[in-house]
Amino acid sequence: ILYGHTDRVWSVAFHPEGSLLATGSTDQNVRIWDVQTGKCLQTLQGHTASIRSVTFISDGNVVVSGSDDHTVCLWDVHTGSSLRVLHGHTNRVWSVASSPNGRLLASSSEDRTIRIWNTTTWGCLRILQSHTHGVRSVAFNPSGNLLASGGDDQTCRTWEVGRGNCLSVLQGYTNRIWSIAFAPDGSTLASCSEDGIIRLW
């Protein structure tokens, strides 16, 4: 059991090697934990509102967090220092996801948009707009050429990462979609909703 956060924990993510765990909380902190010992190695401070999502960039040296303060923050895993703050979203950031090769980062927001960021320059490459309400979750497929999203408009959508085109709108839910995930082979997308239903697409 890992103790340290002083309020609800919204997100957890394993380091690519499995030795570390990142957690994001309503207490506005990201914490980095040693999985074997349960010790908190770093407390990352800088956000001014709840942290909804955390993820590691694929090389494991950078952890990313998305927050209700409308920002995406990048942190050095080893020193705990803030590397960069990405601005652009105009409402809370619900989800962040790194592409498998680590070259791209996706962030989704209550502002109904998804932003694709270049992890070399940290410039915003494109803004994906099709959802009619906030976007709760984003996930890359294993090859990194597709992105899936789920939102409060009760739909999942798939996107061509290269051009930013919306390829499909998956419907059937009667409430907001909280989380999505691709199968390891990329053939199936799982989604879960506040209506209590899990769908496989």
Side-chain angles (χ1 to χ4, degrees):
I1 300 175
L2 307 180
Y3 292 105
H5 285 294
T6 58
D7 210 328
R8 68 186 64 179
V9 178
W10 279 99
S11 182
V12 293
F14 274 105
H15 186 276
E17 296 178 356
S19 57
L20 302 176
L21 183 75
T23 56
S25 169
T26 301
D27 67 11
Q28 306 177 13
N29 295 327
V30 176
R31 288 177 178 262
I32 306 294
W33 308 83
D34 184 301
V35 173
Q36 292 297 320
T37 66
K39 180 182 178 181
C40 180
L41 302 177
Q42 302 285 352
T43 300
L44 313 180
Q45 299 178 313
H47 281 295
T48 59
S50 297
I51 297 163
R52 301 287 179 171
S53 183
V54 291
T55 192
F56 286 93
I57 301 298
S58 61
D59 63 7
N61 293 319
V62 176
V63 66
V64 182
S65 54
S67 170
D68 284 5
D69 64 13
H70 308 179
T71 69
V72 175
C73 288
L74 316 175
W75 311 87
D76 186 296
V77 171
H78 306 290
T79 66
S81 60
S82 175
L83 299 174
R84 189 179 294 266
V85 180
L86 306 181
H87 297 276
H89 285 296
T90 59
N91 209 319
R92 66 181 58 173
V93 179
W94 279 110
S95 182
V96 289
S98 173
S99 65
N101 61 13
R103 295 176 183 172
L104 299 174
L105 178 76
S107 59
S108 68
S109 171
E110 187 72 17
D111 67 11
R112 308 180 185 182
T113 71
I114 301 160
R115 287 177 175 259
I116 305 295
W117 308 85
N118 181 310
T119 60
T120 300
T121 65
W122 292 111
C124 181
L125 295 176
R126 57 191 57 87
I127 301 172
L128 311 183
Q129 301 182 76
S130 178
H131 281 283
T132 59
H133 292 80
V135 187
R136 298 265 174 173
S137 183
V138 285
F140 284 95
N141 73 339
S143 62
N145 64 324
L146 295 178
L147 185 78
S149 58
D152 287 359
D153 59 8
Q154 304 172 17
T155 70
C156 292
R157 296 170 191 253
T158 61
W159 308 80
E160 182 186 12
V161 173
R163 296 184 179 180
N165 299 329
C166 182
L167 301 176
S168 63
V169 180
L170 309 176
Q171 298 176 303
Y173 281 110
T174 60
N175 212 317
R176 68 188 65 177
I177 296 165
W178 275 95
S179 185
I180 55 175
F182 277 101
D185 65 0
S187 63
T188 304
L189 178 70
S191 57
C192 64
S193 168
E194 209 163 287
D195 62 13
I197 295 173
I198 301 165
R199 293 178 184 268
L200 303 179
W201 309 87

